[in-house]
Amino acid sequence: MKYERIEKAVFRERPNRFIAYVDLNGTRETVHVKNTGRCAELLVPGAVVYIQKSENPQRKTKWDLIAVEKGSRMINMDSQIPNQVVREWIEEGNLFEDVALIKPETVYENSRFDLYVEAGERKIFIEVKGVTLEEEGVCRFPDAPSERAVKHLEELIRARKEGYESYVFFVIQMKDVRYFTPNIDTHPVFGETLKKAKASGVKILAYDCAVEPDSIRIDCPVDVVLESPRLKETVKPLVEWYRGHKRDLPWRKHMDAYRVWISEIMLQQTRVEAVKPYYARFLSELPDVKALAEVPEDRLLKLWEGLGYYNRARNLKQAACQIMEEYGGKFPETYEEIRSLKGIGNYTAGAVSSFVYNIPKPAVDGNVLRVVSRVLADGDDIAKASTRTKIERMIEEVIPRDAAGDFNQSLIELGAIVCLPNGEPKCEQCPVNSLCMAYCEGRQMDYPVKKRSAARRIEKRTVLIFSDGNEVAIRKRPGRGLLAGMYEFPNEEGYMNRRQVIEYAKEKGLAPVRIRKLPDAKHIFSHVEWHMKGYEILVDELEKKMNGEVIFAGCGELEEKYPMPSAFEVYYREAGAERKR
């Protein structure tokens, strides 16, 4: 859009919404203000403005106010121009293909939308909003309450439900801004309705403009932040902090999808330091998808032995087979394809796609839930799926397109080494403590809120090590349920005394020579605790006499061949075996 007859002047005052006084070449002139917003931060005495002379010599007010300088930024103030520049931009081939019709001021129900577009079979309504309010690079709308703007959003939602495509297009009438967000201080209802519109399928766009005293045109997309401007402000300091303070971890040395995937699955429910030796051993034997797809299950479980949650390992193998069959052995490269793999949820898909491919998808784990809850002083229960979904939505909205992986990892890293659970978080070391509401309120330990889980069920068990001095008896657990497919020492529910152990051994066809009481042990699963008592039963000729589906294994075989869960760690050592890390 090009203006003619533009002159430079100096703003003096604005006695009402419609007119202002300026100095033009030493003469006081009355100008028409083509923007009924407050614009108080723009129209300050002494500001350089640009005015356009009317083509109508009979008009009482001969000048229109077009633009103003605010520091080094040129801002177009003409509220009648955004519709025109959007129309010109679409006519140039932007946003839609095969445009057959662009019609201004089109009535729908009780509203008049700024533009109606037909492109092929598509029928599209566009409501255009000019934005001139800017503070520290953040643009907001409206600068005054606007019930009309809320009504337009509600009508766009209705149009979307009836099959039309619906857009809100915020024209940022200036250049070099950081992001756009609704002005909830001035009109919170507009902000809530805008979020509702997005959730219903209305597309929310914001573009800045290249502005000169005599021209304006749509230029570049601007990030739209509807959920949390505070979270958006953490992006730059967190990314910078992460790049300077990240830990030296083995899976960060070669950032390929397979390695990240393996590490992320291992790190679920397991500490970083505990994972390191398992990760190295696993990759040494299974360096790629093909090797993982072909490994026998017993060997896979042996490599996983001690990490727990063994279905994770089985799901890895199934996903590897899926990659071989569906993607020719090449790890998929889109979020949706990664998310479709067996055993991969939102977190792992977000981690792999952002860390490796820089796809702006969130990776929300417990660390991230804690960090965001504290930054926002959010009291919603993080154990609820709705809270996780909300935080995923907030993060996805602010992920920087040029640093998606580093931003996601910065949140995880901050939660792991600074924003700690339980004990005191290291708030003085936090790069975003000035933005953290919990810290500013002195309530760090009040967040996150997590409803106490139901008490775990206690299960008493007796573990029996039958040994002839060379081998011990083990058995394979069923293929489904807790610790499915793993190997174990014979064990029974309830506590047994020596007499009962002797009777049990005789039922298995054995004659005990000596019984030794072993230490008590406890193992905690997610929903049950095993409280165990153990006995070692020395017998003669174990292999020949013991009945039942058992395997006889020496210490070397226990260590190398048969995967046994860490629930039996105490008794594993009592049998003379040692874990290989």
Side-chain angles (χ1 to χ4, degrees):
M1 169 63 191
K2 192 82 173 168
Y3 294 93
E4 297 179 350
R5 305 177 306 282
I6 295 293
E7 297 287 345
K8 184 177 182 179
V10 177
F11 176 81
R12 290 306 175 200
E13 62 174 314
R14 185 184 186 184
N16 59 50
R17 288 194 304 162
F18 306 104
I19 66 167
Y21 299 127
V22 303
D23 286 344
L24 177 63
N25 300 325
T27 303
R28 179 180 168 114
E29 295 284 353
T30 302
V31 300
H32 171 233
V33 181
K34 299 176 74 173
N35 190 316
T36 57
R38 291 171 178 167
C39 304
E41 79 290 350
L42 298 178
L43 298 179
V44 296
V48 174
V49 295
Y50 295 88
I51 58 178
Q52 181 184 42
K53 191 170 186 179
S54 172
E55 289 184 292
N56 181 3
Q58 305 302 316
R59 203 178 86 170
K60 182 177 179 181
T61 305
K62 296 180 180 180
W63 300 91
D64 291 311
L65 181 58
I66 300 299
V68 59
E69 291 182 7
K70 182 185 178 186
S72 61
R73 182 178 276 119
M74 180 77 69
I75 300 175
N76 182 290
M77 288 185 56
D78 185 353
S79 63
Q80 297 172 16
I81 211 64
N83 292 6
Q84 187 171 337
V85 296
V86 172
R87 178 172 182 168
E88 289 177 356
W89 185 69
I90 293 173
E91 288 173 340
E92 291 168 358
N94 295 294
L95 199 58
F96 309 117
E97 295 179 356
D98 303 321
V99 172
L101 172 69
I102 304 179
K103 183 180 176 184
E105 297 294 323
T106 302
V107 174
Y108 173 81
E109 298 289 341
N110 297 316
S111 288
R112 185 187 299 272
F113 293 132
D114 294 315
L115 295 171
Y116 171 71
V117 178
E118 291 185 359
E121 299 296 317
R122 302 166 68 185
K123 296 182 178 181
I124 308 152
F125 284 119
I126 304 174
E127 183 63 19
V128 179
K129 303 295 182 188
V131 181
T132 60
L133 177 60
E134 175 272 334
E135 297 172 294
E136 298 183 352
V138 179
C139 287
R140 298 192 292 168
F141 178 93
D143 72 345
S146 174
E147 296 303 324
R148 181 170 171 269
V150 172
K151 176 187 169 187
H152 285 154
L153 293 177
E154 291 171 343
E155 295 286 6
L156 283 173
I157 293 170
R158 188 173 297 114
R160 182 74 189 92
K161 289 179 179 177
E162 294 186 4
Y164 292 92
E165 291 185 45
S166 301
Y167 286 76
V168 183
F169 197 122
F170 291 99
V171 177
I172 313 298
Q173 293 174 249
M174 65 197 83
K175 190 65 183 163
D176 298 326
V177 300
R178 295 193 292 129
Y179 61 91
F180 166 82
T181 191
N183 192 353
I184 60 173
D185 295 333
T186 295
H187 200 181
V189 174
F190 177 81
E192 289 303 314
T193 310
L194 193 61
K195 284 196 281 187
K196 189 164 66 174
K198 181 180 180 181
S200 72
V202 177
K203 293 182 172 62
I204 316 296
L205 304 179
Y207 277 75
D208 69 11
C209 293
V211 178
E212 299 292 339
D214 63 349
S215 67
I216 179 173
R217 62 177 176 80
I218 301 292
D219 199 9
C220 298
V222 171
D223 289 344
V224 175
V225 178
L226 304 184
E227 298 286 347
S228 177
R230 183 179 295 273
L231 197 59
K232 177 72 171 178
E233 294 292 341
T234 69
V235 171
K236 188 170 184 283
L238 277 176
V239 170
E240 290 177 352
W241 171 83
Y242 172 74
R243 289 172 176 170
H245 295 82
K246 62 183 177 182
R247 290 169 293 175
D248 183 18
L249 300 176
W251 39 89
R252 288 178 177 163
K253 295 182 187 298
H254 304 283
M255 196 66 82
D256 69 75
Y258 179 74
R259 290 169 180 263
V260 171
W261 173 43
I262 298 302
S263 68
E264 289 300 332
I265 298 299
M266 285 186 170
L267 286 164
Q268 293 170 15
Q269 309 291 332
T270 311
R271 294 178 301 104
V272 166
E273 291 304 315
V275 163
K276 286 180 180 179
Y278 289 100
Y279 174 79
R281 185 179 67 171
F282 193 96
L283 283 185
S284 176
E285 186 160 335
L286 306 176
D288 53 33
V289 170
K290 184 174 184 294
L292 175 56
E294 294 175 352
V295 67
E297 181 173 298
D298 275 1
R299 183 57 190 159
L300 173 66
L301 294 176
K302 188 65 183 176
L303 289 170
W304 201 267
E305 182 185 68
L307 281 170
Y309 299 92
Y310 293 92
N311 271 339
R312 293 184 295 171
R314 292 190 181 86
N315 287 337
L316 279 174
K317 179 176 168 62
Q318 289 184 49
C321 293
Q322 192 179 344
I323 293 170
M324 295 301 295
E325 293 169 7
E326 298 178 16
Y327 302 100
K330 187 175 186 296
F331 205 96
E333 296 182 3
T334 70
Y335 174 84
E336 291 73 21
E337 289 172 336
I338 295 169
R339 180 67 177 80
S340 72
L341 298 176
K342 178 71 174 178
I344 290 187
N346 288 1
Y347 168 75
T348 305
V352 175
S353 59
S354 65
F355 299 177
V356 181
Y357 304 121
N358 201 44
I359 296 170
K361 298 295 286 187
V364 177
D365 68 353
N367 286 316
V368 177
L369 289 170
R370 183 169 59 259
V371 169
V372 173
S373 295
R374 285 174 174 167
V375 168
L376 303 181
D378 188 331
D380 288 347
D381 182 359
I382 63 168
K384 291 184 176 179
S386 58
T387 302
R388 180 180 291 268
T389 299
K390 178 187 71 174
I391 290 177
E392 286 176 340
R393 187 172 64 244
M394 287 179 170
I395 291 173
E396 184 165 1
E397 192 176 65
V398 304
I399 295 176
R401 299 300 185 264
D402 60 346
D406 281 358
F407 177 64
N408 276 340
Q409 290 186 89
S410 74
L411 287 169
I412 296 167
E413 194 80 342
L414 191 74
I417 65 177
V418 175
C419 194
L420 302 173
N422 304 323
E424 286 291 320
K426 302 174 183 178
C427 295
E428 297 305 321
Q429 299 176 24
C430 178
V432 294
N433 55 18
S434 63
L435 293 165
C436 179
M437 291 180 67
Y439 174 70
C440 293
E441 296 170 3
R443 299 178 58 204
Q444 301 94 308
M445 299 311 298
D446 291 346
Y447 303 99
V449 172
K450 185 175 183 180
K451 185 178 178 181
R452 188 178 296 275
S453 302
R456 282 185 290 268
R457 176 170 52 87
I458 304 297
E459 194 171 291
K460 298 176 180 179
R461 305 196 73 81
T462 301
V463 179
L464 304 169
I465 300 178
F466 291 103
S467 172
D468 62 5
N470 296 310
E471 294 178 322
V472 295
I474 59 174
R475 65 189 183 190
K476 192 168 187 176
R477 290 181 63 85
R480 299 177 65 86
L482 185 66
L483 303 176
M486 299 293 287
Y487 291 83
E488 65 179 0
F489 298 112
N491 62 92
E492 297 294 331
E493 191 168 349
Y495 289 153
M496 303 167 91
N497 57 34
R498 287 176 178 268
R499 181 181 58 77
Q500 290 169 321
V501 170
I502 292 170
E503 290 300 320
Y504 183 88
K506 289 179 179 179
E507 289 174 7
K508 298 297 181 183
L510 299 171
V513 174
R514 186 178 72 242
I515 296 176
R516 180 169 68 96
K517 179 73 172 64
L518 300 176
D520 292 348
K522 181 171 76 170
H523 189 80
I524 298 174
F525 299 95
S526 55
H527 296 94
V528 64
E529 289 184 23
W530 279 3
H531 290 194
M532 295 170 281
K533 294 184 179 297
Y535 295 89
E536 181 187 51
I537 303 97
L538 184 65
V539 299
D540 284 328
E541 298 182 307
L542 180 64
E543 188 169 352
K544 293 180 181 179
K545 294 185 177 180
M546 189 168 187
N547 56 46
E549 294 185 2
V550 293
I551 296 169
F552 307 100
C555 289
E557 289 179 299
L558 285 180
E559 293 169 354
E560 297 289 343
K561 185 176 180 181
Y562 297 108
M564 187 170 286
S566 57
F568 298 101
E569 185 67 29
V570 168
Y571 305 112
Y572 190 83
R573 293 196 301 268
E574 290 290 335
E578 292 184 7
R579 298 283 187 192
K580 291 203 172 180
R581 297 290 191 259

